[in-house]
Amino acid sequence: MDYPNYFKSYSVFLLDNYIEELTENVIGITKSGKFSVCRFLKQFSDATIYANIKRELEDILHDIIHDTPYDALAKKIALWKDGKDSILRKDLSVRDINSGNYIIKTVVLDFLRYYECSKIELIALVKEITDYFQTSTEMGLNAIEEIQNEELSDKDEIIHGILTNIPVVITRINKEGRVTYSAGKGLEPLGRKDNDTVNFSIYHDYIFPENIENAKLALSGKSVSYIGRSLSLSGELREFQNYFIPVNTGIIGFSLDVTERVEEEERFRSFIDAVKDYAIFRLSPEGYIKSWNEGAEALKGYKKSEIIGKHFSIFYDKELQEDHFPEYELEQATRNGKFETEGFRLRKDGSRFWANVIITALFDKNNTLVGFTKITRNLTERKLAEERLRTSEERFRSLVEGVKDYAIFLLEPDGTIASWNEGAKRIKGYNEDEIIGKHFSIFYTEEKKKQKYPEYELVQAGIHGKFEDEGLRVRKDGTTFYANVLITALHDASGKLIGYSKITRDLTERKFLEESLQAMNADLENKVKERTDELLKTIKELKRINNDLDNFIYTASHDLKAPISNIEGLISNLFEELGEQSLLNVDLREIKEMIDISVEKFQMTIKDLTEIAKIQKESLENVELVGLSDLIDDVKITISDQIAKNNAEIIYHLDDCNEIKFVRKNLKSIIYNLISNGIKYRSPDRNPIVKIMCSSDEFYNTIICQDNGLGIKAENIDKIFNMFKRFHDHVEGSGVGLYIVKRIIENAGGRIDVESVEGEGSIFKVILPKGEFELH
Ligand code: ADP
C-alpha cells in the first residue's frame, strides 16, 4: 500500500516534533467530551490514557511511514484472538481519518473489558460509540475541506490515498449537476469501479429523490448531511450517509456506506422495542415523550398512540408533580449526565408500581441537550418480596424477643452469645448488654464446665443437627434452676455452620408442680383409702343392723305368736266364765268385739312380720322354673272372691317369658301383691282391669303389671315401698306388701320401678336378672 508522500512526511514530522503535544490534545478532547463514554474515561488516570494514546499514535504513524498499513491492526487482531485484547468491532477496526478518534474508541473498548455495567447501559454505550463513528466521519470531511482549501497540487493523490483505505465514496459534481469524479473503497459493495458514474446527471440518472433533492440543495450553496439510498449493480439496496459540500467547482460529496449500521440500528431499535421487562423511551429536552417500546406499554398500560407527545410527569403522583420532582429528575440528569432513583410510579389505570428509573441526558456534538432516554424497571415484585422478608424477619424477631417463658438466643459457631430475648433475661437474670459476647458456658455449673460439657453439647448439635437435654443451669445470681435445653445447629445456603440457636425452658416450676401433684395424689389416695375403710365399716355395721332387724322381726313374730294366742284363749275363757248373760250387757259386748279386732290385727301384723322374716331365710336352693301363666291362674283362684266382688278383669300377655327361674313362693308373692293392689286400689268409676305383661332378652325378664285404678300421687311414689307406709285408708291393709315385694326382687338382684298418674292408674315394672346379672 502506497501512502502519499505528503502523509509520510507529515507523519515523520508529527512523530519527531508533536507526538507528546498531540497526545495531550487528544486527552483534553477525550475528557471534555459530553458523551458518557468520555466520562468513563475519566476513571482512568491521565497516565494510562496517555500511554495508550501515545502507543496507538505511534503505531499509526509508524505504519504510514513504513507503508505497513495493517501491521498495527494485525497485532491487535492477534491479541484479540489470544483473548488479550478487548472486543474489536468490525467498523472500528478500520482506520479513521481522524486517528485521535480511533484512539478514543480503542481506549473505550479496552476499558469496556474491565467495566462492569448492566446490559442496558452496555447497549447505550455501544450506541454512543456508533455515534462517535459518525462524528469521526464528519471530522474526516472537514479535513478534506481543509486540504481542498489549501489547494495542494497532489490533492487528488491524497484523496485517493484516503479513499483506498476507508469505505467511503468521494464524488465530485460540477455546477451543471454532472458527476466528474467518483472513487473510493465504498464503491465496492455497489459493484462499481472508480469513475464508473462519471457523466451521470443528478437530474436524469439519479433514481432516489432524497439524493436529487439534497444535491440540488448543495448546488444552491448549502451543506447537507442526510442518509440516502443507492442501488448496487446487482440490485441490492444500500444506505449511505452523504455529506454534500458546496465548493467553487460545484459539490464534493462524501458518502459513507452505513447499510450495516442502519441495519444494526434497526436491530437495536427492535431490540429496545422487544424489551418487555423495561420501559425504554425517549424524552424531549422539556420532558415530552418521543418514543415508546413494548415494555413501556406492558408496564404503564398506555398505547404508543396515546402517550407520544404527553409530558412524562403523567407517571408521577400528584404530590411529586407539585414538588416538581419530574423536572428535578431532568435537571439532575442534565447536570450529571444520568439520574437514577426508585419510587412509586403510576399506571394508566391509576395503580402504582415500585420502579427503578434511570434517566440519561443526550447531547449532540455541539454539547446541546437533545433529550433524554428513560429506562424504567418494575421492582414491585422485588420490593414486595423485600418488604415481606423484612416484615417477617421483624415479626419473627419481635416474637422471639417478646417470648417470656423461654430463653431464646443465638450462639456463634464457637459458642459466643450473639442475641438475647426477654425470656432469657427473665430466666437467667442477665441484661442483653452484659451477656452478648460472653461464652454460653457461663450458664453451666463448675463441674459441667470442667467436663467440657457445653462444648460437648455444641459438637452433638453439629453432628445431629439438634441436641436436647435437661439439667441444672446457673443464673446470674449464682442460683441454679432445672432447665430443658434445645440446641439447633444453623447452616447457610452452602451448608456452612454459621452458629446455633438455643432455647432454654425453666422447668423448676414444672418440677415443683410435679412434686406437689405427687404429694396431692398421695394425699388423695390416703383419703380415698380412709373413706373406703369408713364405708366398709358402715356397710358392715349396716349389715349387722339389718341382721339384727331380721333377727328381731323373726324373734318378734315368733315370740309374739304364743302370747297373743294366749290372750285370745284367755279372753274367750273369760267370757265363757262370765256366761252368755254377760254378752247381753252392751258395754261388755263392745269391749269384747274391740279386743277381738285388736287381737286379729295383732295376729295379722305378726303374720306379715313372719312373711318378711321368711324372705330372709329363703335360700336360692329353692329356685325352680316357674310357669308364669300357671302362677297367675293360681293367684286368681286365691283372690277369686275379691275378683268377683269387684267385677275385676285380669288379662296377661306373656310372650316368650312364660317360664321364669325363681323361688316359686316369692314370685307368687310378687304377682299376688301387685294384682290384688290393682283391684284393692280401684277407681270407683270403673271396673278394675289388671294387665300382666312379660318380655325377655338375653339378660333379663321384665314383668309389667298395669292397672286402671286410683293411681299414686307423685310425691308418694318413692315411699310406697317403705314398711307400714299406706296412702289409702278406705280398704284394709298393713303397708307391708310392697315392702316384701321390693325385698324379694332386690334379694334376687333385680329392681322394681313405678310410674303412676293419679286418677288414671299405675304401672309396676319388675326387672329380674337371668343367671348372674344384677341390676342396681
Ligand atoms: P297395703 O296394700 O297393705 O296398704 P302395700 O305395701 O301393698 O300395703 O301398699 C302400700 C300403699 O301403696 C297402699 O296403702 C296404697 O296406698 C299404695 N298402693 C299400692 N298399690 C297401689 C295401686 N296399685 N294403686 C294405688 N295405690 C297403691
Side-chain angles (χ1 to χ4, degrees), residues 604 608 673-682 705-713 716 719-741 754 756 761-764:
M604 270 184 61
D608 286 337
N673 272 293
L674 294 181
I675 296 179
S676 79
N677 277 354
I679 301 171
K680 243 161 78 180
Y681 302 105
R682 62 169 289 187
C705 181
Q706 182 180 13
D707 66 56
N708 61 346
L710 293 165
I712 307 153
K713 281 199 173 94
N716 295 332
K719 297 170 203 152
I720 58 168
F721 296 105
N722 290 355
M723 206 191 288
F724 304 125
K725 259 281 180 266
R726 305 199 66 224
F727 296 102
H728 299 92
D729 292 328
H730 66 286
V731 278
E732 286 287 326
S734 59
V736 172
L738 287 182
Y739 173 76
I740 292 172
V741 166
V754 195
S756 184
S762 313
I763 299 171
F764 288 82

Side-chain angles (χ1 to χ4, degrees), residues 226-440:
Y226 71 99
I227 290 184
R229 291 161 292 178
S230 285
L231 211 53
S232 78
L233 286 177
S234 59
E236 190 198 346
L237 195 67
R238 301 200 63 89
E239 303 207 44
F240 283 80
Q241 171 74 52
N242 298 309
Y243 303 90
F244 287 159
I245 302 151
V247 289
N248 327 346
T249 52
I251 330 170
I252 286 190
F254 186 90
S255 303
L256 177 74
D257 188 339
V258 292
T259 313
E260 264 88 49
R261 207 186 76 197
V262 169
E263 276 169 7
E264 196 163 308
E265 265 177 11
E266 201 56 48
R267 272 203 298 280
F268 179 72
R269 199 171 23 248
S270 55
F271 170 75
I272 292 286
D273 278 348
V275 170
K276 296 247 166 52
D277 301 338
Y278 296 83
I280 303 177
F281 52 98
R282 261 196 345 268
L283 300 177
S284 72
E286 301 78 31
Y288 292 98
I289 294 154
K290 292 184 73 180
S291 78
W292 200 240
N293 78 332
E294 267 186 53
E297 183 176 334
L299 184 54
K300 314 224 180 193
Y302 293 96
K303 289 217 156 23
K304 197 170 184 164
S305 56
E306 53 190 2
I307 197 70
I308 298 269
K310 296 262 162 62
H311 196 265
F312 85 113
S313 59
I314 195 166
F315 308 129
Y316 293 71
D317 270 327
K318 224 168 144 215
E319 295 76 48
L320 287 179
Q321 285 186 24
E322 279 163 8
D323 287 351
H324 299 288
F325 190 73
E327 290 81 352
Y328 168 79
E329 285 187 333
L330 297 190
E331 249 173 60
Q332 288 300 310
T334 312
R335 182 165 309 153
N336 306 316
K338 195 168 110 177
F339 180 75
E340 181 164 357
T341 182
E342 280 192 14
F344 278 114
R345 294 292 178 269
L346 293 177
R347 293 202 184 83
K348 185 186 172 188
D349 63 9
S351 63
R352 300 151 104 229
F353 63 96
W354 186 260
N356 167 282
V357 177
I358 302 172
I359 299 181
T360 312
L362 305 173
F363 298 94
D364 70 4
K365 65 173 193 286
N366 300 321
N367 206 9
T368 314
L369 180 75
V370 291
F372 303 90
T373 57
K374 189 166 181 238
I375 301 175
T376 307
R377 196 147 44 112
N378 185 0
L379 294 186
T380 311
E381 274 311 310
R382 203 178 80 186
K383 177 94 182 157
L384 282 178
E386 275 174 13
E387 199 77 0
R388 272 197 295 269
L389 191 70
R390 200 172 52 76
T391 51
S392 82
E393 266 174 6
E394 250 166 41
R395 233 181 280 148
F396 180 70
R397 192 185 328 232
S398 61
L399 184 86
V400 168
E401 274 170 8
V403 170
K404 294 221 172 66
D405 298 337
Y406 295 83
I408 303 177
F409 52 96
L410 296 174
L411 300 179
E412 305 282 359
D414 66 352
T416 310
I417 296 156
S419 81
W420 202 238
N421 80 333
E422 267 300 309
K425 186 173 153 191
R426 197 182 67 88
I427 294 174
K428 314 223 179 197
Y430 294 95
N431 278 331
E432 188 169 337
D433 51 350
E434 53 189 358
I435 196 71
I436 292 217
K438 297 259 164 64
H439 194 264
F440 85 113

Side-chain angles (χ1 to χ4, degrees), residues 195-212:
N195 293 325
D196 247 10
T197 55
V198 166
N199 268 332
F200 266 37
S201 160
I202 59 161
Y203 306 109
H204 306 113
D205 304 309
Y206 274 26
I207 324 168
F208 297 106
E210 66 268 20
N211 296 333
I212 303 168

